[in-house]
Structure formats: structure tokens, C-alpha cells
């Protein structure tokens, strides 16, 4: 149920009023389980409770649940006095919620954490999270950061990929406008897959024509990643309006 509400919420990123209605209904449906589990693991709890807690936080965080966002921000702020405040199995989940809903100050703090991290794995994860911001301006800052030496090549590519999840057109525009620089971040054999993969997150039917134009001059083998994404976007352009219509009718009937 958590995953379904989260998915449906994402379908209406162009209709804030419907998203709000889905968030309200989803929040009401999931709140009892979240209250039962609490935000922290309990000694000896079943493994499935741990999994469910993480999934509930992900869904409620994505839908902007006020209690979950407030708790994520409280825990994030507590890092100032206790660098280990977020340590535990849900560290990446809490950071993901903060990163997605980040203010400029929170984004800057996460970047500072990435800069100073002693762990290469953690450093890469923090930088990649910067690309998850819903805010357009912060997404653009993440893309600009990706073309500096600060994150490192592999991580820079991951940042661009993260931006595409919520800002597909922005990421594709950026990759095309900075083609040589972006290509330098990726192995030659993976470049076509990378750009096509950015576009794969798009919900705009206009992206289909863009990809077809990009793929047209390529040899057959190089076209395959584009063709696969084009087919997926064509299917989505048919199924998505139908699903959105059914969901809107369901919400109205309730």
C-alpha cells in the first residue's frame, strides 16, 4: 500500500491539487502502521517491521507528510551537535527524505558533509543525494556541481542521474548542452545508455520526439538504448493518462 500511494503521488507531479489529495488519503491510510512502529527500531522486533518502517518513511517522506518531514529535519539538525545522531539502519532513509525536500541551507549542509567525509562510499552517497532535490534551483546547482572536480567523475555521473529522477528534461538538456564534459564522465561504451537513461524518467510525451531525433543519426547498435526507452515512453504516454483518469475518478468518488 505504501509503495502504491507513493507511485500514484508521482503520477500527478503536474497536478499539485491531486497530489495533495493522494497525500492526504495515503497519509491517513498509513498513519496507524507508522504510529505502531514508531520512528526507531525496537529491540527484538520482527525483521518485517524494520522493512515496513523504512518503506513507510519512504512513502510518507515522498508525499510530504508533515510529521515525517519534521522528524527528518530534526534529526538532520541534530548532527550539528552529534555527528553520530543519524547512525543506524535508517540513516540513508532519513538523509534521502531531507535531500528530496531540502532547503538551500540543508542542501549546503549536505554538501559540506560530503566534502568532509572520511569514507569514500559515504562521500559518494552524500554527493549523489544532492541530485535528489525536488527544488528546481537546487537541481540546477547539483548539475553545475557535477561538472566540477569536487565530486569525482563517477560520482558526478551519478549526480546527473539522480537529478533525472525528478527533473528528466532538465538533466537531458544539461547533458546535451555539455555533451563533451558529460561524455568525459562516462565510459564510451555506456554513453548512449546514460543519456537514454536520463530520458527514461520523463513523463512528457514530447521527450519521445527528442529521443528519436537524437537516435536517428546513430548506427543500429548505438540506437538500441534509445529504442528501448522510446518504446517505454510510448507505452507510458498511453497508459499514464488512463491511470490518472481512473485515480482522479476514484478520489472524487471517495
Amino acid at each position: 500500500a505504501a509503495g502504491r500511494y507513493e507511485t500514484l503521488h508521482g503520477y500527478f507531479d503536474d497536478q499539485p491539487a491531486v497530489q495533495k489529495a493522494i497525500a492526504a488519503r495515503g497519509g491517513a491510510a498509513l498513519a496507524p502502521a507508522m504510529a505502531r512502529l514508531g520512528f526507531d527500531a525496537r529491540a527484538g522486533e520482527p525483521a518485517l517491521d524494520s522493512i515496513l518502517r523504512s518503506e513507510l518513511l519512504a512513502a510518507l517522506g515522498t508525499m510530504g507528510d508533515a510529521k515525517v518531514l519534521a522528524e527528518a529535519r530534526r534529526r538532520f539538525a541534530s548532527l550539528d551537535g552529534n555527528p553520530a545522531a543519524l547512525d543506524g539502519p535508517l540513516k540513508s532513509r532519513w538523509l534521502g527524505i531531507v535531500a528530496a525536500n531540502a532547503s538551500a541551507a540543508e542542501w549546503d549542509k549536505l554538501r559540506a558533509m560530503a566534502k568532509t567525509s572520511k569514507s569514500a562510499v559515504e562521500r559518494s552517497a552524500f554527493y549523489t543525494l544532492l541530485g535528489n532535490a525536488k527544488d528546481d534551483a537546487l537541481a540546477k546547482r547539483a548539475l553545475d556541481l557535477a561538472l566540477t572536480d569536487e565530486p569525482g567523475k563517477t560520482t558526478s555521473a551519478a549526480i546527473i542521474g539522480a537529478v533525472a529522477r525528478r527533473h528528466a528534461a532538465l538533466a537531458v538538456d544539461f547533458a546535451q548542452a555539455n555533451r563533451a564534459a558529460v561524455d568525459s564522465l562516462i565510459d564510451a561504451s555506456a554513453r548512449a545508455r546514460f543519456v537514454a537513461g536520463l530520458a527514461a524518467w520523463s513523463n512528457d510525451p514530447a521527450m519521445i520526439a527528442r529521443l528519436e531525433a537524437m537516435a536517428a543519426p546513430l548506427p543500429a547498435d548505438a540506437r538500441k538504448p534509445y529504442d528501448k526507452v522510446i518504446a517505454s515512453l510510448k507505452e507510458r504516454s498511453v497508459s499514464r493518462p488512463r491511470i490518472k483518469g481512473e485515480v482522479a475518478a476514484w478520489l472524487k468518488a471517495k
Side-chain angles (χ1 to χ4, degrees), residues 18-45:
V18 181
Q19 274 196 328
K20 185 176 180 180
I22 292 171
R25 184 165 295 279
L30 302 176
M34 189 76 261
R36 176 179 67 82
L37 294 171
F39 291 139
D40 295 298
R42 297 186 176 96
E45 70 178 7

Side-chain angles (χ1 to χ4, degrees), residues 144-203:
D144 290 339
L145 177 63
L147 290 193
T148 70
D149 293 332
E150 184 180 319
K153 284 190 174 183
T154 302
T155 302
S156 288
I159 292 173
I160 299 170
V163 170
R165 293 176 67 92
R166 288 189 169 93
H167 308 272
L170 180 65
V172 172
D173 288 346
F174 181 82
Q176 286 189 293
N178 301 277
R179 187 61 182 268
V182 172
D183 280 354
S184 72
L185 304 175
I186 307 152
D187 184 77
S189 63
R191 286 170 186 165
R193 290 198 307 274
F194 181 77
V195 177
L198 300 178
W201 294 100
S202 177
N203 296 314

Side-chain angles (χ1 to χ4, degrees), residues 2 8 54 57 73 82 117 129 143 150-151 156 172 177 184 233 248 253:
L8 293 179
S54 181
L57 288 174
R73 288 187 164 121
N82 177 15
S117 175
L129 281 173
L143 290 173
E150 184 180 319
S156 288
V172 172
S184 72
L233 294 184

Side-chain angles (χ1 to χ4, degrees), residues 18-228:
V18 181
Q19 274 196 328
K20 185 176 180 180
I22 292 171
R25 184 165 295 279
L30 302 176
M34 189 76 261
R36 176 179 67 82
L37 294 171
F39 291 139
D40 295 298
R42 297 186 176 96
E45 70 178 7
L48 289 179
D49 280 1
S50 299
I51 296 169
L52 179 57
R53 179 184 294 105
S54 181
E55 294 301 318
L56 289 172
L57 288 174
L60 291 168
T62 295
M63 293 188 293
D65 181 84
K67 290 182 179 178
V68 169
L69 292 189
E71 182 64 14
R73 288 187 164 121
R74 183 191 71 77
R75 293 178 181 233
F76 189 62
S78 70
L79 290 173
D80 294 338
N82 177 15
L86 276 178
D87 286 359
L90 290 173
K91 180 176 182 176
S92 61
R93 183 65 77 202
W94 288 118
L95 287 174
I97 293 169
V98 170
N101 299 280
S103 64
E106 289 165 338
W107 193 93
D108 286 338
K109 179 177 174 179
L110 187 57
R111 180 182 178 183
M113 288 168 59
K115 280 183 176 181
T116 58
S117 175
K118 300 289 193 295
S119 163
V121 173
E122 186 177 71
R123 183 175 182 274
S124 178
F126 289 167
Y127 273 120
T128 302
L129 281 173
L130 295 173
N132 288 349
K134 295 177 184 178
D135 183 81
D136 290 349
L138 294 179
K140 291 174 183 176
R141 285 183 64 187
L143 290 173
D144 290 339
L145 177 63
L147 290 193
T148 70
D149 293 332
E150 184 180 319
K153 284 190 174 183
T154 302
T155 302
S156 288
I159 292 173
I160 299 170
V163 170
R165 293 176 67 92
R166 288 189 169 93
H167 308 272
L170 180 65
V172 172
D173 288 346
F174 181 82
Q176 286 189 293
N178 301 277
R179 187 61 182 268
V182 172
D183 280 354
S184 72
L185 304 175
I186 307 152
D187 184 77
S189 63
R191 286 170 186 165
R193 290 198 307 274
F194 181 77
V195 177
L198 300 178
W201 294 100
S202 177
N203 296 314
D204 184 359
M207 184 62 75
I208 296 170
R210 288 190 62 182
L211 286 180
E212 288 175 337
M214 292 165 65
L218 300 176
D221 284 349
R223 277 186 59 101
K224 287 180 180 178
Y226 289 95
D227 290 340
K228 183 177 180 180

